[in-house]
Amino acid sequence: KNEVEQSPQNLTAQEGEFITINCSYSVGISALHWLQQHPGGGIVSLFMLSSGKKKHGRLIATINIQEKHSSLHITASHPRDSAVYICAAHRMYSGGGADGLTFGKGTHLIIQP
Amino acid sequence: ETGVTQSPTHLIKTRGQQVTLRCSSQSGHNTVSWYQQALGQGPQFIFQYYREEENGRGNFPPRFSGLQFPNYSSELNVNALELDDSALYLCASSYQGSTDTQYFGPGTRLTVL
């Protein structure tokens, strides 16, 4: 079982729909990142959070530390939101040196006009 | 614009050869992480450099090595290339490691024949 699990793997929706992507993790973390990857590889950081909720434009990210769960929401979705959305966890520092991010497999989102 | 650049964009090598990939971090960032992303998979952490010292490593063999220079640009070197090394190689820079916002480069697509 992966340490970071995302659902759904694929999501197709109509323009204007409210989108939710879920991320669950099985290890203690110090931060959770939501990233967006477009075809061709470029990755853009959307959010980094360790508690609560963050909002940027039409995007909202929440995290529940007790339940080890985070969600990314997109309101009023638009075809330009079509991309792969990835959650990535930074594991709690173990004292043995820095860890990089542990990535989920991503959610392929397609917004149809 | 992230300010993180990588070179080359694409590279084709043959099995057994050696390759050097380069990353120029965003100005002011003293931490760089390297990731390998196989086709259809999430990125996997290779290692992280902080102020020219390796301070964390993922599950990659020693033939994957790196350098970070005083200007915080960095290199990823891979010796004795194998077919499975074909992937997109991403670098990400930040000011304070994986608990800080990550700025990703566009990646280098390596093909090993």
Side-chain angles (χ1 to χ4, degrees), chain B:
Chain B
E1 186 176 0
T2 67
V4 180
T5 60
Q6 291 185 245
S7 62
T9 306
H10 296 87
L11 197 55
I12 299 175
K13 290 285 190 178
T14 56
R15 211 167 31 170
Q17 284 188 311
Q18 179 266 341
V19 69
T20 297
L21 310 181
R22 294 179 174 84
C23 173
S24 178
S25 299
Q26 181 148 325
S27 177
H29 288 182
N30 53 26
T31 303
V32 64
S33 302
W34 284 90
Y35 295 90
Q36 180 195 64
Q37 186 176 23
L39 201 61
Q41 302 295 316
Q44 299 289 317
F45 175 61
I46 303 174
F47 44 58
Q48 183 179 95
Y49 277 79
Y50 172 71
R51 293 187 174 180
E52 304 176 54
E53 298 284 333
E54 182 182 303
N55 74 334
R57 189 176 185 92
N59 189 26
F60 280 80
R63 60 188 184 85
F64 286 78
S65 63
L67 283 172
Q68 187 182 30
F69 299 101
N71 65 356
Y72 301 135
S73 64
S74 67
E75 289 181 352
L76 164 64
N77 299 289
V78 187
N79 293 323
L81 283 167
E82 301 176 0
L83 296 179
D84 285 347
D85 296 333
S86 295
L88 180 70
Y89 289 85
L90 296 159
C91 71
S93 75
S94 65
Y95 184 65
Q96 287 187 342
S98 299
T99 56
D100 196 6
T101 299
Q102 303 292 296
Y103 293 85
F104 285 83
T108 293
R109 175 75 62 187
L110 173 64
T111 301
V112 182
L113 301 176

Side-chain angles (χ1 to χ4, degrees), chain A residues 4-27:
Chain A
V4 179
E5 296 276 357
Q6 281 186 241
S7 64
Q9 286 189 327
N10 298 284
L11 179 58
T12 300
Q14 297 296 312
E15 183 174 357
E17 286 189 37
F18 181 80
I19 303 299
T20 296
I21 300 171
N22 296 300
C23 176
S24 297
Y25 51 92
S26 58
V27 294

